[in-house]
């Protein structure tokens, strides 16, 4: 039985896929299985996956009609048999010791979650430096959400590929189907369980900006709706009385950053989409304000005043 199940959704990434799979095969930790989900990709992804599966029995391939990234991950997770789960994006790559370090820390501390750092391959070359596992520095916490501030030295990130999860931790937690920016609501759903978490500043992942990714696409109203869906899913969890402190932390440290990203997308959109995006954004701001999630704390003053102006205009 594998110790770690690696879930790899694949769609239009033939340019990067071999690099990704080679990084899996290069792992110094060998007790893994890779569940690769060909999400109806129209390019050569399916053929590449089948080729690699013939060479290594640990690589398993699912071919399905296109259902989106969230469902590809959800469907892959259903077949996972490992004690831990790792989500790998198929246009990125793993440090050769990612599993060795992350699984070792999980075992050493009996942890539910391990969080690490990444290289941005767009800014620096991928460094395969050898890591002395006995010298890896860490911080252990039982309420990792409070490590989400940008000021923290040992910081929790809101993407899924900087984390190794105990399988049981993900029980009842799926990615929201049909939306972009699906990582952050999933991460906050996990953190709401207050998992025992090991955080290390070792860089174990290589992020490769992809021209076809959602972050590179021009602005459109659905992006705003998807952010809104993610924030609402978080609010539904954290409005529970026992998570009052966590919700206050999110209001001060997370909501401002998400709203900043949305405002930026609205401002950068073309003449056709801009009014539609601002209309959706305004609806979101009004709702969040009614829920008590918008205050001046954590926001740059100019942006906060912009939000209040939009809210005021919607009420007139």
């Amino acid at each position: 039985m594998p110790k770690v199940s690696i879930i790899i959704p694949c769609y239009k990434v033939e340019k990067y896929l071999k690099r990704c799979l080679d990084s899996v095969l290069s792992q110094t930790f060998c007790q893994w299985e890779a569940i690769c989900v060909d999400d109806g990709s129209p390019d050569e992804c399916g053929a590449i996956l089948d080729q690699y599966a013939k060479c290594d029995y640990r690589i398993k391939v699912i071919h399905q009609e296109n259902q989106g990234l969230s469902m590809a991950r959800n469907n892959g997770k259903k077949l996972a048999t490992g004690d831990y789960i790792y989500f790998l994006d198929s246009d990125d790559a793993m440090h050769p010791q990612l599993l060795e370090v992350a699984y070792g820390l999980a075992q050493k501390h009996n942890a539910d979650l391990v969080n690490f750092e990444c290289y941005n391959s767009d800014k620096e070359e991928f460094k395969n430096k050898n890591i002395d596992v006995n010298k890896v520095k860490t911080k252990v916490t039982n309420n990792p959400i409070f490590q989400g501030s940008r000021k923290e030295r040992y910081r929790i990130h809101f993407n899924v590929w900087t984390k190794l999860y105990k399988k049981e931790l993900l029980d009842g937690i799926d990615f929201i189907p049909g939306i972009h920016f699906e990582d952050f609501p999933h991460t906050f759903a996990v953190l709401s369980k207050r998992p025992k978490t090991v955080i290390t500043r070792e860089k174990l992942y290589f992020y490769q900006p992809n021209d076809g990714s959602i972050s590179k696409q021009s602005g459109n109203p659905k992006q705003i709706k998807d952010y809104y869906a993610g924030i609402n899913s978080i609010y539904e969890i954290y409005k529970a009385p026992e998570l009052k402190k966590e919700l206050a932390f999110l209001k001060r440290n997370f909501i401002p950053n998400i709203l900043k990203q949305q405002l930026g997308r609205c401002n950068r959109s073309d003449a056709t989409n801009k009014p539609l995006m601002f209309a959706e954004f305004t609806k979101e701001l009004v709702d969040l304000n009614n829920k008590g999630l918008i205050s001046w704390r954590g926001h740059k003053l100019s942006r906060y005043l912009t939000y209040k102006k939009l809210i005021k205009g919607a009420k007139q």
Side-chain angles (χ1 to χ4, degrees), residues 265-276:
R265 286 184 179 274
C266 290
N267 285 326
R268 293 191 301 271
S269 59
D270 58 36
T272 300
N273 279 307
K274 182 172 289 188
L276 300 175

Side-chain angles (χ1 to χ4, degrees), residues 121-135:
S121 300
D122 195 37
K123 295 181 179 179
E124 55 186 310
E125 291 297 322
F126 194 31
K127 298 180 177 64
N128 284 331
K129 70 171 186 177
N130 184 63
I131 298 173
D132 187 339
V133 294
N134 296 314
K135 295 182 179 180

Side-chain angles (χ1 to χ4, degrees), residues 220-233:
N220 63 75
K222 178 172 169 35
Q223 294 173 357
I224 303 302
K225 292 179 180 179
D226 290 348
Y227 273 120
Y228 189 19
I231 294 174
N232 270 333
S233 72

Side-chain angles (χ1 to χ4, degrees), residues 33-209:
E33 65 175 356
I35 302 174
C36 306
V37 184
D38 169 21
D39 190 33
S41 187
D43 57 11
E44 293 300 311
C45 283
I48 294 172
L49 292 174
D50 289 339
Q51 176 188 352
Y52 273 76
K54 290 179 180 179
C55 298
D56 196 307
Y57 72 94
R58 295 172 296 179
I59 297 177
K60 305 169 184 178
V61 181
I62 304 171
H63 297 282
Q64 65 180 34
E65 293 184 0
N66 181 253
Q67 300 179 44
L69 176 57
S70 290
M71 287 305 300
R73 286 172 171 168
N74 292 340
N75 292 337
K77 188 182 73 169
K78 291 176 183 177
L79 300 179
T81 61
D83 299 325
Y84 286 81
I85 289 179
Y86 180 65
F87 295 105
L88 170 63
D89 279 1
S90 49
D91 48 0
D92 297 331
M94 307 165 70
H95 185 286
Q97 290 178 272
L98 186 154
L99 295 182
E100 178 189 0
V101 173
Y103 182 80
L105 291 175
Q107 292 297 292
K108 178 180 179 180
H109 298 280
N110 191 27
D112 304 303
L113 183 67
V114 178
N115 185 96
F116 42 85
E117 299 285 338
C118 72
Y119 287 104
N120 188 330
S121 300
D122 195 37
K123 295 181 179 179
E124 55 186 310
E125 291 297 322
F126 194 31
K127 298 180 177 64
N128 284 331
K129 70 171 186 177
N130 184 63
I131 298 173
D132 187 339
V133 294
N134 296 314
K135 295 182 179 180
V136 173
K137 295 181 179 179
T138 63
K139 179 173 182 176
V140 181
T141 176
N142 289 312
N143 203 347
I145 192 171
F146 294 114
Q147 297 298 127
S149 170
R150 292 179 178 272
K151 298 178 181 180
E152 294 290 343
R153 178 175 172 81
Y154 287 87
R155 185 185 170 208
I156 282 283
H157 296 284
F158 304 127
N159 46 55
V160 298
W161 31 261
T162 53
K163 296 170 184 63
L164 181 71
Y165 305 83
K166 183 173 283 187
K167 186 179 181 182
E168 290 78 6
L169 179 61
L170 299 181
D171 287 348
I173 299 177
D174 285 330
F175 292 91
I176 301 174
I179 70 167
H180 299 114
F181 319 114
E182 63 290 313
D183 278 23
F184 77 84
H186 183 276
T187 294
F188 282 113
V190 170
L191 298 184
S192 72
K193 292 188 173 184
R194 297 173 178 165
K196 184 176 183 182
T197 302
V198 181
I199 305 173
T200 177
R201 299 180 71 236
E202 292 289 346
K203 294 182 177 181
L204 302 178
Y205 190 83
F206 298 117
Y207 171 73
Q208 175 66 53

